[in-house]
Amino acid sequence: MFGSNMHAFRSTPTFSTVPTVTMKRFRFLAVSNVLLLCNIEYDTARGKVVQAGTIRGPVAVTVFSFFTFYYMAYMYHYATASFVEMFALLGNVAVTYVTVLIVALDQTIRRKRMLGLGNLMLDYVKYRNSFFEEISIFDLGKHLIRVQIFAVVGLGISLNLMQFVRNLPQFYFFRSVVIFILSMSDVYILGNMIFVQFFTHFVCNEMKQLTLHHRSLPIQPLMHSFDRLIVIKRSLGAILAVRFLWTLLQLIVNVSFISYLSLLYVVDRQLTYGHAFDLTHSLVTMLINNTLVLFGVTYGFDRVQSEEQEFKNAIKSLQYEATEEHSEDYLNFLDLINLKLMTESPKITACGLFTVNLQVFYNVFAAIVTYIMILFQFRDFEK
């Protein structure tokens, strides 16, 4: 399905020039490539999306694996904690490691599909620029992504650096470095969820532009542009579903286990002012970052569906506004388009398990509360 769609998409002529302002939207690929979130980038010299940094991901995962196993072995042999507390601590590390491993493996396996998706988006921009220019509008999705980047990078990294400095006297340099790298894995996983939002934002923004131009453009190129966006949307669900599913699982486990351990320390242990501040800071930062990113990614997928439906409604309104002055062929063509739009396009799902929309945001927090209660019940049984 993906191969045939991509071939059909590229069968139309492309255009050699793309405005510099438009190409700025593809700069996120270069930044994401440096951060090991993808293995593609936009090559300004050749004017296309190319593969880059394919080897760095497996090398980074190998180094990360060494630090993970070292930390788990150290905590298992030297940490003094109850069974449930140790399960929550090591379980969180294990799930994070597996998530990083699967995300990196998925990047390697789907690298050609990701490259195809990038060029699909680039070809669409070239095609669309031959008909109209973007209308500048307030874009909530773009500002939401910026807030997430500021929160995850600013709050997350500053918190990890503070903990690194505080860990130096107790764990010495090497172990403090290990803890810092493992803590940064949470930032990396949240970064993957932000990376996904750049693609959903692209589809949403382009759907919105088509809706704004539905009266000024001929109906044929308008519908052809819409068909291209549906191909991109379908490819988006097929390529990024595994990444989203595992990062979502890690988010649930991370928030559940860290919240449980924080509540456990507050209830059972006498904490000094410094430890209480660190605990509160860590918990608040984790909740803010995870809540923002989870809302952002589910809002992005939900908006894809709403913008698509808004465009369909705008096209259907053309039929109601048509008068007898229009030719019969034009009216019949509108009838065919409306029949086509009545068929619902495939929704984006997490590997077919559930549809990704805002409802997932509420369901995740319900699951987190349930898991925290289960952990406390196991703790009562242990006593």
Side-chain angles (χ1 to χ4, degrees):
M1 177 66 72
F2 178 84
S4 61
N5 286 334
M6 185 170 65
H7 178 74
F9 189 94
R10 291 187 178 177
S11 62
T12 56
T14 58
F15 301 85
S16 58
T17 59
V18 183
T20 304
V21 175
T22 304
M23 284 300 93
K24 288 182 179 180
R25 65 181 2 177
F26 289 95
R27 289 188 303 183
F28 80 94
L29 292 177
V31 178
S32 301
N33 182 264
V34 172
L35 299 177
L36 304 179
L37 300 175
C38 70
N39 47 27
I40 61 174
E41 64 181 6
Y42 176 69
D43 189 339
T44 55
R46 289 185 282 180
K48 65 179 182 178
V49 179
V50 297
Q51 286 190 341
T54 307
I55 304 299
R56 289 180 300 156
V59 173
V61 170
T62 302
V63 176
F64 180 72
S65 300
F66 168 76
F67 288 133
T68 300
F69 291 134
Y70 172 84
Y71 177 79
M72 293 181 69
Y74 173 81
M75 294 299 296
Y76 180 78
H77 288 289
Y78 296 103
T80 57
S82 63
F83 172 79
V84 179
E85 185 178 349
M86 185 62 67
F87 172 79
L89 182 62
L90 296 183
N92 186 34
V93 175
V95 171
T96 301
Y97 168 73
V98 171
T99 301
V100 172
L101 183 64
I102 290 178
V103 168
L105 183 63
D106 184 67
Q107 284 184 28
T108 303
I109 294 175
R110 301 177 190 269
R111 62 186 183 278
K112 292 185 178 180
R113 287 192 168 190
M114 179 63 72
L115 178 64
L117 176 60
N119 281 305
L120 284 177
M121 296 165 59
L122 182 61
D123 289 347
Y124 174 84
V125 172
K126 293 178 179 180
Y127 176 81
R128 188 259 291 155
N129 282 340
S130 65
F131 291 101
F132 64 87
E133 295 182 356
E134 290 188 38
I135 297 177
S136 179
I137 57 175
F138 175 77
D139 194 342
L140 177 61
K142 181 174 67 176
H143 293 293
L144 185 58
I145 292 176
R146 289 176 177 175
V147 170
Q148 294 172 62
I149 293 174
F150 172 78
V152 172
V153 175
L155 296 179
I157 295 181
S158 63
L159 171 63
N160 291 334
L161 287 175
M162 289 176 57
Q163 291 179 337
F164 173 76
V165 173
R166 295 183 67 89
N167 288 334
L168 279 175
Q170 180 180 0
F171 295 104
Y172 305 105
F173 181 76
F174 178 73
R175 289 172 188 162
S176 298
V177 170
V178 171
I179 295 174
F180 175 78
I181 291 176
L182 294 182
S183 300
M184 287 300 296
S185 62
D186 292 332
V187 176
Y188 172 75
I189 290 173
L190 291 178
N192 273 277
M193 300 188 81
I194 296 176
F195 174 73
V196 171
Q197 294 176 55
F198 282 103
F199 293 91
T200 58
H201 174 262
F202 176 89
V203 177
C204 292
N205 182 69
E206 294 301 335
M207 285 283 187
K208 188 67 175 179
Q209 292 296 322
L210 291 182
T211 303
L212 294 174
H213 287 87
H214 80 280
R215 296 181 184 276
S216 58
L217 285 180
I219 191 68
Q220 288 89 348
L222 196 67
M223 291 306 302
H224 187 55
S225 299
F226 174 74
D227 290 338
R228 288 181 169 220
L229 287 178
I230 294 301
V231 172
I232 295 175
K233 172 191 170 184
R234 188 180 294 113
S235 303
L236 176 65
I239 296 171
L240 299 177
V242 173
R243 181 185 306 215
F244 171 76
L245 182 62
W246 277 94
T247 52
L248 180 64
L249 173 64
Q250 192 275 341
L251 184 147
I252 294 174
V253 172
N254 183 47
V255 175
S256 300
F257 286 177
I258 299 301
S259 299
Y260 165 76
L261 291 174
S262 301
L263 293 173
L264 183 65
Y265 292 156
V266 170
V267 172
D268 288 355
R269 302 183 183 181
Q270 295 293 329
L271 300 177
T272 63
Y273 174 79
H275 287 92
F277 175 79
D278 289 344
L279 182 64
T280 304
H281 186 194
S282 301
L283 184 60
V284 171
T285 301
M286 180 200 64
L287 291 177
I288 291 176
N289 288 349
N290 284 272
T291 301
L292 275 175
V293 173
L294 179 61
F295 175 78
V297 71
T298 53
Y299 170 78
F301 282 109
D302 193 82
R303 190 174 164 222
V304 168
Q305 295 299 131
S306 61
E307 291 293 348
E308 178 184 342
Q309 188 59 48
E310 186 176 343
F311 172 79
K312 290 181 177 181
N313 293 336
I315 295 299
K316 291 176 183 178
S317 67
L318 293 177
Q319 185 180 34
Y320 303 137
E321 298 171 0
T323 64
E324 295 180 355
E325 298 177 359
H326 294 89
S327 65
E328 184 177 354
D329 291 338
Y330 177 77
L331 297 177
N332 291 334
F333 184 64
L334 287 179
D335 288 336
L336 291 175
I337 290 176
N338 286 330
L339 287 175
K340 177 183 177 181
L341 295 180
M342 288 177 63
T343 60
E344 187 174 3
S345 62
K347 295 182 179 179
I348 301 177
T349 64
C351 298
L353 298 178
F354 53 87
T355 301
V356 184
N357 51 32
L358 270 177
Q359 187 61 41
V360 175
F361 176 77
Y362 307 113
N363 293 341
V364 163
F365 279 96
I368 288 173
V369 173
T370 302
Y371 293 149
I372 293 175
M373 294 177 61
I374 292 174
L375 289 171
F376 272 105
Q377 288 177 351
F378 274 113
R379 172 175 169 271
D380 294 337
F381 291 151
E382 189 178 20
K383 291 183 178 180

